[in-house]
Amino acid sequence: MSPRNPSRIAAVIGYPVSHSRSPAIHNAAFEITGLDWFYTYFEVPAGSGAAALDAMRTLNLGGLSVTMPLKPEAAAAADMMDDEVAALGVANCIVPVAGKKLRAANTDSYGFVAGLKADAGITPAGRSVLILGGGGAARAIAWGVASAGAESVIVANRTPTAAEETAALAGSVGRVGSHKDVRSADIVVNATSVGMGSDGSVPCDPDLLQTGQVAVDIVYEPLETAWLCALRSRNVEAHGGLSMLVYQAARAFTLWTDKPAPVEAMRKAALG
């Protein structure tokens, strides 16, 4: 799809970002909904997040997706922020509002919960969730599952401080745990980058899980990680990270356009 003088431009900013699937996902959504928009990417290094938001105002861009390392900078540079952004300290979506003001949002929490519902047919409500990791994705997931009614949110991470900060985002249902808690959790989430690529590494021993549990690996490069394959060989229900990617993009689409997102078209585009 070529720009051909579209009425609005949206983009993803970050560094590196040329590999992003977001242009394919959003351009498919714009095309199928008949919106005269075009989505591209801009390589923006660390330290230039505020300047990128100033450019968004000047150029009247329709929306920005934000990836690393700019998520904290984007949150700080916006004119207003959602409660979730205030709690997490990061934004992955910038929405223009009246008077060239910019609103910072975070669609990752929504993306995880919606993806879990789409893939596994369940919600976190009333369930125990074990999160492996303490980075930005883990923080968003902890907030999201707690907000969705999880009974407990346990965070296992090799850095104690990060684990404590992530668990705190779940409020009264959050606590720090360890890999020993994997056995008793209803939902186990790999929110680390372990397994990305083709080295065969896994975030935790697959033998800790058993039939009846649900595992989610937020890694989507590759779509089938070594951890997912090992879990499925043990008859553990396991899902990859593509749905989280698609649903967080779908939420951004709706925030920018006020229209329902064509999720299936976006998923198809994400698969290439």
Side-chain angles (χ1 to χ4, degrees):
M1 180 179 179
S2 61
R4 299 194 311 181
N5 300 315
S7 61
R8 298 301 296 272
I9 298 288
V12 57
I13 58 172
Y15 191 87
V17 78
S18 61
H19 65 284
S20 174
R21 299 190 187 199
S22 293
I25 293 171
H26 283 289
N27 284 325
F30 295 147
E31 183 171 17
I32 201 167
T33 54
L35 289 172
D36 187 23
W37 286 48
F38 184 75
Y39 189 103
T40 186
Y41 70 88
F42 298 116
E43 298 271 9
V44 179
S48 298
L53 266 64
D54 284 341
M56 181 180 181
R57 296 182 182 94
T58 301
L59 297 172
N60 194 31
L61 298 183
L64 281 181
S65 303
V66 185
T67 188
M68 296 304 293
L70 302 177
K71 290 183 178 183
E73 296 179 37
D79 301 292
M80 59 198 73
M81 63 178 66
D82 292 352
D83 290 344
E84 182 173 353
V85 175
L88 298 176
V90 295
N92 76 330
C93 179
I94 303 297
V95 184
V97 293
K100 291 192 178 293
K101 299 292 186 182
L102 300 179
R103 167 188 162 200
N106 193 304
T107 66
D108 282 335
S109 297
Y110 172 88
F112 178 81
V113 174
L116 179 68
K117 176 66 173 178
D119 288 345
I122 62 172
T123 72
R127 293 181 165 88
S128 59
V129 182
L130 186 286
I131 301 172
L132 302 169
R139 291 166 63 87
I141 292 168
W143 170 279
V145 296
S147 299
E151 181 179 70
S152 63
V153 181
I154 308 142
V155 181
N157 188 62
R158 60 187 177 186
T159 305
T161 300
E164 291 166 4
E165 292 174 351
T166 301
L169 289 167
S172 62
V173 300
R175 70 173 176 86
V176 175
S178 69
H179 283 197
K180 293 179 181 179
D181 294 292
V182 169
R183 294 186 185 277
S184 59
D186 298 314
I187 302 167
V188 180
V189 185
N190 173 32
T192 75
S193 60
V194 175
M196 191 177 296
S198 57
D199 64 358
S201 56
V202 296
C204 77
D205 186 349
D207 289 339
L208 293 174
L209 285 87
Q210 58 190 336
T211 302
Q213 292 177 287
V214 174
V216 181
D217 192 339
I218 69 164
V219 171
Y220 57 87
E221 294 282 4
L223 291 173
E224 298 293 323
T225 63
W227 194 55
L228 289 178
C229 293
L231 291 173
R232 289 169 183 159
S233 72
R234 292 179 51 79
N235 295 317
V236 175
E237 182 178 353
H239 303 282
L242 190 74
S243 286
M244 180 178 176
L245 172 70
V246 169
Y247 277 97
Q248 65 81 25
R251 177 62 179 156
F253 174 93
T254 298
L255 289 174
W256 297 332
T257 68
D258 269 339
K259 294 183 179 295
V263 174
E264 288 312 309
M266 298 172 84
R267 182 186 297 276
K268 183 178 179 180
L271 287 168

